[in-house]
Amino acid sequence: MTVSLRGTYEVIDNKYQIFRLTGLLDAFSEPVFTSVMKQRIDAGPSTIILSLAQIDFVDSSGIGALVQIVKYSQNAGGTMQLVTNPRVTQTVKLVRLEKFLSLRSSIDEAVANLD
């Protein structure tokens, strides 16, 4: 995606997409992140599992992008769940968005919560 944010994605059974990101989700990487995520949601499926377990840092721009992507996914008829690490969880809880962003501790937990 950018120098500071890298990732992979895969489509599972044409039902949902899993994204695994590493690096920084910040003001520098946010525009490309948002654009790529919207393109992938448009390509479908619109249900997303976004793993930030390997993310080193999320700033307010990154949090704002996550909120945008949740809404975009919902508007496309899907959902988004976020797999986090303690650092990301703490940042999200500071702004009280843990329920809205559907925080999960593992990809397996997120998959189990799709049904």
Side-chain angles (χ1 to χ4, degrees):
M1 290 189 183
T2 70
V3 173
S4 65
L5 182 66
R6 294 165 305 285
T8 62
Y9 80 92
E10 61 183 310
V11 177
I12 308 296
D13 298 330
N14 207 30
K15 294 180 182 177
Y16 60 94
Q17 299 183 65
I18 298 177
F19 294 82
R20 292 174 176 88
L21 303 182
T22 60
L24 311 173
L25 183 52
D26 57 11
F28 180 73
S29 62
E30 179 274 325
V32 173
F33 167 75
T34 302
S35 174
V36 168
M37 291 300 297
K38 287 180 177 179
Q39 288 172 13
R40 292 304 317 149
I41 290 168
D42 289 343
S46 57
T47 294
I48 303 295
I49 295 173
L50 181 60
S51 176
L52 302 182
Q54 300 300 312
I55 288 289
D56 298 320
F57 177 75
V58 177
D59 70 3
S60 59
S61 297
I63 296 291
L66 294 172
V67 169
Q68 280 185 55
I69 298 305
V70 168
K71 290 179 179 180
Y72 198 84
S73 175
Q74 290 172 342
N75 288 339
T79 62
M80 184 177 96
Q81 296 186 63
L82 212 56
V83 177
T84 62
N85 61 37
R87 182 177 293 160
V88 173
T89 299
Q90 181 182 21
T91 303
V92 170
K93 284 185 174 184
L94 282 173
V95 292
R96 299 180 183 210
L97 287 172
E98 61 269 19
K99 288 187 179 162
F100 179 76
L101 292 176
S102 300
L103 299 188
R104 306 292 179 217
S105 60
S106 70
I107 289 177
D108 289 340
E109 180 186 346
V111 170
N113 279 286
L114 289 176
D115 298 327

